[in-house]
Amino acid sequence: MQEVSRSGATGELKLDALIADLWWRVRLLNTDILEEEAKSGVFDVQQPTYPLLALNLRARRDNLVSTIGVLEERAKSVAEAA
């Protein structure tokens, strides 16, 4: 039986908590994007009248999703190493 260090288990829990928090923020951004689209009445990103705030929120959301992917891979490799 392998011994799990306290710092390793704590680090893994912190990483899981961070990932969960980032997913929560992605959901918030999705809500904000939908609100901006509804307010402007423009839902197609390709339209020139698409709200600039919604575009910026989309970019932030996409960056978060990318970061989450990296963190999930790291969490997976940490869990496999344990």
Side-chain angles (χ1 to χ4, degrees):
M1 182 180 246
Q2 287 184 334
E3 191 174 312
V4 177
S5 70
R6 277 188 58 192
S7 63
T10 303
E12 191 174 340
L13 289 175
K14 287 181 181 179
L15 190 54
D16 289 342
L18 175 61
I19 291 168
D21 181 62
L22 292 177
W23 276 122
W24 174 73
R25 292 174 190 275
V26 166
R27 289 190 298 274
L28 287 177
L29 287 169
N30 283 334
T31 301
D32 291 344
I33 292 166
L34 290 173
E35 286 178 9
E36 284 300 311
E37 290 173 342
K39 206 181 332 181
S40 70
V42 180
F43 299 90
D44 184 4
V45 180
Q46 303 301 320
Q47 293 295 319
T49 56
Y50 190 79
L52 185 58
L53 179 55
L55 281 174
N56 289 333
L57 291 171
R58 282 175 172 270
R60 292 174 77 185
R61 181 205 51 205
D62 294 345
N63 285 338
L64 277 179
V65 170
S66 176
T67 300
I68 291 167
V70 170
L71 291 173
E72 287 177 337
E73 284 299 314
R74 183 176 295 169
K76 183 178 173 183
S77 65
V78 167
E80 289 173 353

